Amino acid sequence: MKTIDSLGDLRGKRVLVRSDFNVPLDGTTITDDGRIRAALPTLTRLADAGARVVVLAHLGRPKGAPDPQYSLAPVAARLGELLGQDVPLAQDLVGPSAKATVDALADGQVALLENVRFDARETSKVDAERAELAGELAQFADAFVSDGFGVVHRKQASVYDIAQVLPAAAGDLVLNEVESLSKATGDPERPYAVVLGGSKVSDKLGVIANLLTKADRLLIGGGMVFTFLAAKGLSVGNSLLENDQIETVKGYLATAESNGVEIVLPVDIVAADSFAADAAHRVVAADAIPDGTMGLDIGPESGKLFAGKLADAKTIAWNGPMGVFEFEAFADGTKAVAQGIIEATTAGGFSIVGGGDSAAAVRVLGFDEAGFSHISTGGGASLELLEGKELPGLTVLAD
Ligand SMILES: Nc1ncnc2c1ncn2[C@@H]1O[C@H](COP(=O)(O)OP(=O)(O)OP(=O)(O)O)[C@@H](O)[C@H]1O
Ligand SMILES: O=C(O)[C@H](O)COP(=O)(O)O
């Protein structure tokens, strides 16, 4: 991939940087700033080189129009604190405020444009619409640096199309992630265990097909569980469920069996009366989830089962928390898996944690990041790389 060095002398040049600042928020409070910290080496390097740095980022999944709950204002404030300089936030993406913000930048200064997903063209499936937005963004810049590793699997205007209209390079975070993850992409040391959880169920179900040809064991937790249990004919109450994926999952279960891949499902579930921190809850067998309740964590027996399946693994990839770890009552499954991975890593395994919330869970629950071989800023991006897919945001940076 092309590197920042290939862009030449950047003093006085306007450099657009795509970062991944999709951080977890509680209201307007950032509960884990790991993704912002991970962006600092590239931003500091560009600022130190005298560039005028204009950062593009998204937050959440707004519907292609401005939506105050997804404003990047909290990110601009935190980025400013971490960089030790005021980071102005333009009120729009390609409008008068963005233009004025970029025009006002001095050499070595960093500014942020408002959420790229407030413009429907960013995520459009129509090439010409994305290209049009990329063309408008390009007017603000002399070069583009792609450093949002967590979005390189997205064929979006600020990730993919922009790299075709400006001199483009990979930032240090993207290079570092690709190098670290490459240890698990080619010929991973076995047994190779993949732990999947979280709530982006349909996104992650998609990666399973490929993982069934690569991994030895798939451990399923989090919101993923219930589509699997339903595929086995079990009732899941009000738990997160992708009804239209049940047939696909039945196919995965059959393929796993014929490929000799072990799919490990929880044997018990923490079932709650509602989605709330103080919801009444009890541990039930996975085949006896009461009607009217929702599974918000894997149960204690499942935690032990999963840790046991990880103990001898030589390569481990983990994406997605095992439960709603943000609520203390539903964090134990995630803790058990994190602990199991740390022990397997200490015993000589190579472990990767991927995903905004999974990485946040490791830090928020008090685990030592050094216990894992690599904590990736990418969730879907790291999974797709591990699947062996070509990622549009990387291929477009090819030298
Ligand atoms: N059983 C469950 N029901 C509902 N939500 C769940 C359940 N288990 C986990 N979650 C939620 O899943 C969320 C994280 O899911 P997500 O798929 O976004 O993972 P991630 O690690 O952030 O990966 P990515 O970076 O790809 O988004 C957490 O906020 C957690 O509360
Ligand atoms: O959180 C992530 O994994 C990245 O920021 C990508 O977000 P997306 O899944 O909404 O594209």
Side-chain angles (χ1 to χ4, degrees):
M1 276 185 290
K2 283 176 279 192
T3 63
I4 291 176
D5 288 334
S6 74
L7 299 175
D9 182 9
L10 292 173
R11 183 157 301 278
K13 297 265 175 63
R14 298 160 310 163
V15 180
L16 271 183
V17 181
R18 177 56 155 108
S19 296
D20 181 8
F21 289 154
N22 195 20
V23 290
L25 285 176
D26 184 1
T28 55
T29 305
I30 296 171
T31 53
D32 180 68
D33 63 3
R35 280 182 165 163
I36 306 179
R37 289 177 181 276
L40 297 177
T42 292
L43 297 181
T44 310
R45 175 177 169 182
L46 292 170
D48 288 351
R52 301 171 182 204
V53 184
V54 183
V55 187
L56 302 170
H58 76 283
L59 183 65
R61 292 178 170 177
K63 305 262 174 283
D67 181 344
Q69 66 168 313
Y70 295 116
S71 168
L72 285 168
V75 170
R78 184 70 189 125
L79 181 60
E81 283 167 15
L82 291 168
L83 284 172
Q85 62 166 263
D86 184 40
V87 173
L89 171 68
Q91 298 307 301
D92 53 30
L93 179 63
V94 283
S97 176
K99 184 173 180 337
T101 305
V102 176
D103 286 348
L105 276 179
D107 295 359
Q109 254 197 322
V110 178
L112 185 60
L113 304 185
E114 191 48 286
N115 195 332
V116 286
R117 292 187 182 173
F118 286 177
D119 190 313
R121 293 172 296 176
E122 165 70 4
T123 54
S124 172
K125 297 280 174 264
V126 180
D127 293 354
E129 290 180 0
R130 292 195 318 275
E132 184 186 75
L133 176 59
E136 289 175 27
L137 285 167
Q139 292 171 25
F140 296 142
D142 305 297
F144 172 67
V145 172
S146 174
D147 207 36
F149 177 72
V151 287
V152 291
H153 59 318
R154 302 290 184 215
K155 195 174 185 183
Q156 296 177 349
S158 69
V159 179
Y160 176 78
D161 302 82
I162 186 80
Q164 294 181 316
V165 287
L166 284 172
D172 295 341
L173 175 62
V174 163
L175 292 172
N176 174 284
E177 290 270 16
V178 171
E179 194 193 322
S180 299
L181 289 163
S182 68
K183 297 193 183 107
T185 47
D187 186 14
E189 211 181 324
R190 296 183 182 278
Y192 176 20
V194 178
V195 191
L196 288 181
S199 58
K200 287 184 188 167
V201 179
S202 43
D203 277 20
K204 291 178 192 176
L205 283 175
V207 308
I208 291 180
N210 278 331
L211 289 174
L212 287 175
T213 63
K214 298 204 173 339
D216 302 301
R217 292 172 201 155
L218 272 183
L219 282 58
I220 308 288
M224 309 276 295
V225 162
F226 307 100
T227 309
F228 278 81
L229 295 179
K232 293 190 145 224
L234 298 171
S235 142
V236 298
N238 295 338
S239 308
L240 203 63
L241 174 65
E242 301 268 337
N243 259 312
D244 56 349
Q245 300 285 339
I246 291 177
E247 286 310 310
T248 311
V249 169
K250 282 184 186 167
Y252 291 156
L253 291 168
T255 310
E257 202 167 330
S258 55
N259 289 5
V261 176
E262 192 182 1
I263 294 196
V264 186
L265 295 175
V267 290
D268 55 354
I269 294 288
V270 183
D273 289 348
S274 63
F275 190 92
D278 58 356
H281 56 276
R282 78 282 309 154
V283 175
V284 299
D287 60 2
I289 299 175
D291 285 348
T293 67
M294 59 179 75
L296 294 187
D297 196 8
I298 61 171
E301 287 309 315
S302 310
K304 284 184 214 151
L305 172 71
F306 282 21
K309 296 284 179 190
L310 293 168
D312 67 338
K314 287 285 167 278
T315 308
I316 299 172
W318 174 28
N319 180 294
M322 294 295 98
V324 184
F325 73 95
E326 296 91 337
F327 301 153
E328 206 186 330
F330 309 110
D332 287 348
T334 303
K335 287 182 190 166
V337 161
Q339 190 56 42
I341 296 176
I342 289 173
E343 280 164 25
T345 310
T346 309
F350 178 77
S351 60
I352 294 165
V353 183
D357 287 298
S358 318
V362 162
R363 291 185 281 263
V364 170
L365 298 176
F367 289 98
D368 182 357
E369 291 181 57
F372 304 87
S373 311
H374 179 64
I375 299 193
S376 173
T377 54
S382 58
L383 269 182
E384 290 194 18
L385 204 64
L386 293 176
E387 266 184 272
K389 270 197 180 168
E390 285 211 339
L391 308 190
L394 296 181
T395 42
V396 77
L397 302 173
D399 203 354

